[in-house]
Amino acid sequence: MTTEPATRRMPGAPCWVSLMAHGLSATQEFYGALFGWEFRPGPQHLGPYARAFLDGREVAGLGELAPDRHLPVAWTTYLASDDADASAEQIRSYGGTVGVGPLDADEAGRMAIASDPHGAIFGIWQGRSMTGTAVSGEPGTPVWNELVTQDTHSVGPFYEHVFGFESEAVVSADFDYLTLYLKGRAVAGIHGVGSALTRERGPHWMTYFAVSDADAAARRVAELGGHVLRPARDSAHGRLATVADVEGAVFTVIEQR
């Protein structure tokens, strides 16, 4: 569950993750203490925004919502695009919705915020001076992105048509999962969870962050004022835990094998 930097730049591949929160300062403190991130100002086209760095390399973005915008606080996965405007048209053509943009993020690139036909929100990023996450797979960096939805067969074709993914189903009687490939490389997944998908959360993209110790990371989340939603457990790809930050943004930490 990791992708090489060159793969992440392919059109369609997850290339960046960003979080819009209500309290930017407190959110920076949480992730700085959890992952060791440092922060520098980023494009301000949607309000206050900072880029997170680990050892001098860009790994994620944190922004602040306007006080009058009572939106769910969640991590957003951005998919790479060579042409954000063309991608937006494709999204609309196959039943998705473009809610923001496309618009320029200063000199960094051009972006849009969209949702698939089932309502899962994701971003589009056409990089210029900033092409995306500089490192993946090391502790404190994004390592995988996965769409959690009701079932794979009804939404898989949307992502295949719009972004050119090839998909491979995980063969299991009780596990509905598609691995998405670009040029033979696994770049993301779609997990159908059926009735386990809550009405409050709905379909959503999940960001996985690599950690050196999933149990210790979950404990640290709780110490910092976050919540452990699913305690650390073993999986085929490593030990992982599902957690939420101080404002309730959900993400997964994974200790890779």
Side-chain angles (χ1 to χ4, degrees), residues 1-252:
M1 293 175 66
T2 187
T3 55
E4 297 300 322
T7 303
R8 294 198 307 277
R9 305 296 184 265
M10 291 181 189
C15 64
W16 184 247
V17 292
S18 187
L19 172 66
M20 298 297 289
H22 295 291
L24 184 56
S25 178
T27 300
Q28 287 178 334
E29 289 180 9
F30 174 88
Y31 287 100
L34 180 63
F35 293 137
W37 291 351
E38 297 178 343
F39 299 93
R40 303 174 194 171
Q44 309 290 306
H45 59 293
L46 294 178
Y49 192 82
R51 291 179 185 153
F53 288 76
L54 187 65
D55 298 327
R57 296 172 293 180
E58 287 179 300
V59 293
L62 299 178
E64 186 168 77
L65 291 163
D68 60 343
R69 301 202 73 183
H70 304 288
L71 299 173
V73 176
W75 280 97
T76 299
T77 296
Y78 281 75
L79 306 179
S81 173
D82 285 340
D83 186 330
D85 295 83
S87 294
E89 285 304 311
Q90 283 284 93
I91 289 166
R92 295 187 186 100
S93 296
Y94 287 99
T97 301
V98 179
V100 177
L103 52 84
D104 289 327
D106 299 338
E107 76 288 348
R110 190 163 174 78
M111 55 81 67
I113 302 294
S115 60
D116 67 28
H118 290 236
I121 295 172
F122 61 92
I124 296 297
W125 182 254
Q126 178 187 345
R128 292 173 183 156
S129 64
M130 199 285 286
T131 56
T133 304
V135 59
S136 174
E138 297 180 11
T141 69
V143 67
W144 189 246
N145 293 269
E146 182 176 281
L147 173 64
V148 182
T149 191
Q150 187 167 13
D151 61 76
T152 62
H153 70 267
S154 61
V155 74
F158 167 82
Y159 289 95
E160 292 166 6
H161 288 306
V162 174
F163 298 106
F165 294 124
E166 295 181 351
S167 63
E168 180 178 305
V170 174
V171 180
S172 174
D174 57 355
F175 190 58
D176 181 16
Y177 197 94
L178 287 180
T179 303
L180 302 178
Y181 292 84
L182 289 171
K183 297 183 179 179
R185 293 179 177 267
V187 296
I190 302 178
H191 188 188
V193 298
S195 60
L197 186 70
T198 64
R199 183 183 298 273
E200 294 77 16
R201 189 87 198 279
H204 59 277
W205 277 86
M206 174 75 78
T207 300
Y208 287 67
F209 291 99
V211 294
S212 56
D213 185 324
D215 295 82
R219 288 194 297 270
R220 186 63 173 145
V221 165
E223 292 169 358
L224 294 169
H227 301 279
V228 178
L229 304 181
R230 292 190 66 191
R233 58 204 183 274
D234 291 324
S235 76
H237 298 284
R239 193 161 175 80
L240 52 81
T242 306
V243 298
D245 68 17
V246 288
E247 290 196 11
V250 179
F251 58 99
T252 296

